[in-house]
C-alpha cells in the first residue's frame, strides 16, 4: 500500500496547552519564551498552563537557567495528550475522551447523527457495554483503549466490507511501529499475536440506497494488561501488547500511531481504491493458505482459505474442491498439520 503522508494541522486547531505539551515533548529543555512562541501566548501565561498540566499529573521540572523539561506524562487519555505531536489533518482532530463509558460506538453514533464532522474520534479507557460483531459483547480488559471513529466516505454501501480490512492493515502497521512486534490479520477483523487476539474491529454502517452516510469504526485494543488482568474465560483466546512485547506500551504513542496510519490508509483508499489495501492486508494476514472452519448463519463451511476478492470477501476451496465466496462469518483457524 503506498504511503500517504498526512499533513499537520495548523496551530489554530490546537489549544495553547496542547502546543506547550508538544513543544515539551520535542526538547530536553525549552525556555519559557520558546514555549510562549510555540503556543502563541504571552510568557506570563505559560506558568498558568504549566500549573494546569501538573494538576493533571504531568511532572514538569523548571530551572531558572534552562527553562522547562517534561519528565513524566500520566498514562491516561486526554485531548491534550493525544494531540501533542499528532500528525493528522482529519482523524482525531475533533476528539472526545472518557475514563469510562457505556460504549464508544454509542456516543460516536449519537454525535454523527447530530452532524459531527468526519474524523471525529471517541476514546475511552473502559467500556461497560462494549460490543463486537454480530451483537456480541466486547470485554473491556484493564489498561486498554477503546476507539470509535466517524468516517464519511463518498462511496456506495456495497463497499462497506472494505473498511474493517483497511483498518486492520493500518492497525497492524501502528502496532509494528510502536511495539516492534508483527501482528497477524485474521479475516475479517481481528489482530492476533501468538494465536491470541489483541485488537478487535467493528464497522457499523448508516446508508441510503446509493451512498454511505457514515461508517462508525470501532476498535478495541488490549494494550497494557498483565496476565492476571485477563479474565480466566478469555485467557486462552486473548492477550495484550504488553505481554507480547515484554514491556509497558505508551498508550498515547499507540493512539497517535493508530490515527496516523488509519488516515494514511484512508487517504490511499480514496485515491486508489481497494487494490492497494487488499495487497497490504495480505502482507499481514494469517488466514490465507490455512484450513478454516467458518460459521455463517446456520451454515458451516470448511476448507482452505485461498484469497480475498475485490469486495473483501474470503474465497475458500472446500474439501469437495468447490470454490466458494464468504462475505460474512466467524472464522476458526484450524491447527496446522
Amino acid at each position: 500500500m503506498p504511503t500517504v503522508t498526512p499533513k499537520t494541522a495548523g496551530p489554530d486547531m490546537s489549544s495553547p496547552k496542547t502546543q506547550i505539551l508538544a513543544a515539551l515533548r520535542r526538547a530536553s529543555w525549552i525556555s519559557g519564551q520558546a514555549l510562549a512562541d510555540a503556543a502563541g501566548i504571552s510568557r506570563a501565561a505559560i506558568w498558568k498552563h504549566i500549573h494546569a498540566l501538573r494538576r493533571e499529573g504531568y511532572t514538569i521540572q523548571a530551572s531558572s537557567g534552562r527553562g522547562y523539561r517534561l519528565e513524566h506524562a500520566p498514562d491516561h487519555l486526554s485531548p491534550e495528550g493525544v494531540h501533542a505531536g499528532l500528525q493528522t489533518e482529519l482523524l482525531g482532530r475533533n476528539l472526545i475522551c472518557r475514563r469510562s463509558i457505556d460504549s464508544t460506538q454509542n456516543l460516536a453514533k449519537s454525535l454523527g447523527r447530530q452532524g459531527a464532522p468526519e474524523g471525529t474520534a471517541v476514546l475511552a479507557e473502559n467500556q461497560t457495554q462494549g460490543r463486537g460483531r454480530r451483537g456480541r459483547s466486547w470485554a473491556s480488559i484493564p489498561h486498554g483503549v477503546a476507539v470509535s471513529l466517524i468516517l464519511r466516505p463518498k462511496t456506495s454501501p456495497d463497499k462497506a466490507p472494505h473498511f474493517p480490512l483497511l483498518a486492520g492493515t493500518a492497525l497492524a502497521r501502528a502496532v509494528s511501529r510502536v511495539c516492534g512486534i508483527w501482528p497477524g490479520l485474521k479475516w475479517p477483523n481481528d489482530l492476533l499475536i501468538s494465536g491470541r487476539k489483541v485488537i478487535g474491529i467493528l464497522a457499523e454502517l448508516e446508508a441510503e440506497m446509493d451512498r454511505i452516510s457514515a461508517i462508525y469504526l470501532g476498535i478495541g485494543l488490549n494494550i497494557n494488561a498483565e496476565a492476571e488482568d485477563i479474565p480466566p474465560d478469555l485467557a486462552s483466546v486473548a492477550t495484550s501488547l504488553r505481554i507480547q512485547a515484554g514491556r509497558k506500551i505508551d498508550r498515547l504513542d499507540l493512539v497517535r500511531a493508530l490515527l496516523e496510519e488509519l488516515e494514511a490508509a484512508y487517504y490511499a483508499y480514496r485515491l486508489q481504491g481497494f487494490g492497494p489495501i487488499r495487497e497490504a492486508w495480505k502482507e499481514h494476514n494469517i488466514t490465507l493458505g490455512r484450513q478454516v472452519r467458518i460459521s455463517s448463519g446456520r451454515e458451516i463451511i470448511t476448507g482452505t482459505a485461498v484469497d480475498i476478492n475485490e469486495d473483501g470477501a474470503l474465497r475458500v476451496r472446500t474439501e469437495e474442491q468447490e470454490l466458494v465466496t464468504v462475505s460474512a462469518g466467524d472464522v476458526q483457524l484450524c491447527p496446522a498439520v
Side-chain angles (χ1 to χ4, degrees):
M1 181 176 64
T3 299
V4 177
T5 303
K7 300 174 183 176
T8 305
D12 59 317
M13 297 184 72
S14 297
S15 68
K17 192 160 61 171
T18 299
Q19 295 296 336
I20 290 168
L21 266 180
L24 286 167
R25 288 172 59 89
R26 289 193 297 267
S28 55
W29 285 93
I30 185 168
S31 70
Q33 186 58 57
L35 284 178
D37 292 343
I41 58 177
S42 70
R43 185 169 179 176
I46 289 294
W47 189 241
K48 178 186 71 173
H49 290 291
I50 293 292
H51 271 296
L53 288 168
R54 285 172 172 166
R55 286 195 299 270
E56 293 174 16
Y58 292 89
T59 303
I60 301 171
Q61 186 175 349
S63 168
S64 58
R66 305 174 78 182
Y68 299 93
R69 181 175 71 178
L70 177 64
E71 293 187 337
H72 170 75
D75 184 34
H76 65 73
L77 303 178
S78 69
E80 292 82 11
V82 174
H83 282 157
L86 179 65
Q87 300 292 304
T88 64
E89 65 176 13
L90 177 67
L91 299 190
R93 283 298 163 183
N94 184 35
L95 181 65
I96 297 93
C97 293
R98 297 283 188 269
R99 290 292 181 89
S100 184
I101 196 172
D102 59 349
S103 163
T104 57
Q105 285 289 90
N106 287 349
L107 180 52
K109 285 184 175 182
S110 176
L111 293 170
R113 291 163 184 166
Q114 295 172 48
E118 183 176 41
T120 294
V122 178
L123 279 68
E125 300 188 24
N126 178 68
Q127 292 187 110
T128 59
Q129 298 175 32
R131 62 181 182 275
R133 292 173 61 243
R134 309 180 84 173
R136 295 189 182 91
S137 63
W138 171 268
S140 192
I141 293 174
H143 314 299
V145 174
V147 182
S148 289
L149 288 158
I150 302 173
L151 300 180
R152 301 189 189 278
K154 293 180 173 61
T155 190
S156 55
D158 63 302
K159 300 298 192 295
H162 291 167
F163 288 88
L165 304 180
L166 181 157
T169 63
L171 287 163
R173 289 186 169 187
V175 169
S176 297
R177 170 177 147 189
V178 173
C179 307
I181 49 181
W182 184 270
L185 295 172
K186 181 168 77 76
W187 186 90
N189 67 335
D190 292 334
L191 276 74
L192 278 63
I193 302 174
S194 301
R196 297 180 182 182
K197 186 187 296 190
V198 289
I199 297 175
I201 300 165
L202 172 67
E204 296 184 299
L205 175 71
E206 287 185 350
E208 298 178 12
M209 185 67 69
D210 59 349
R211 69 179 185 91
I212 291 174
S213 301
I215 288 179
Y216 300 99
L217 192 62
I219 303 162
L221 303 100
N222 298 338
I223 302 177
N224 278 323
E226 299 194 67
E228 58 268 26
D229 295 320
I230 298 177
D233 59 326
L234 297 178
S236 64
V237 295
T239 186
S240 75
L241 296 172
R242 178 175 186 162
I243 292 170
Q244 296 299 318
R247 63 180 175 86
K248 187 175 181 181
I249 306 301
D250 187 313
R251 294 193 301 174
L252 293 178
D253 279 351
L254 184 59
V255 168
R256 281 189 287 267
L258 177 160
L259 293 171
E260 289 164 7
E261 295 291 350
L262 271 171
E263 181 166 292
Y266 185 46
Y267 283 5
Y269 178 82
R270 294 197 308 193
L271 287 171
Q272 302 177 54
F274 184 59
I277 300 296
R278 180 177 178 233
E279 295 307 311
W281 184 90
K282 288 183 180 182
E283 291 177 13
H284 276 272
N285 98 87
I286 53 171
T287 308
L288 304 184
R290 293 283 298 272
Q291 290 292 114
V292 294
R293 183 178 188 274
I294 304 172
S295 302
S296 180
R298 296 183 179 180
E299 184 181 13
I300 302 295
I301 299 168
T302 59
T304 303
V306 296
D307 202 359
I308 56 169
N309 67 14
E310 62 277 3
D311 297 321
L314 187 65
R315 301 282 281 165
V316 178
R317 190 173 301 280
T318 68
E319 295 169 353
E320 294 76 25
Q321 299 303 304
E322 180 186 0
L323 197 59
V324 298
T325 300
V326 181
S327 298
D330 293 324
V331 174
Q332 178 183 346
L333 301 178
C334 302
V337 178

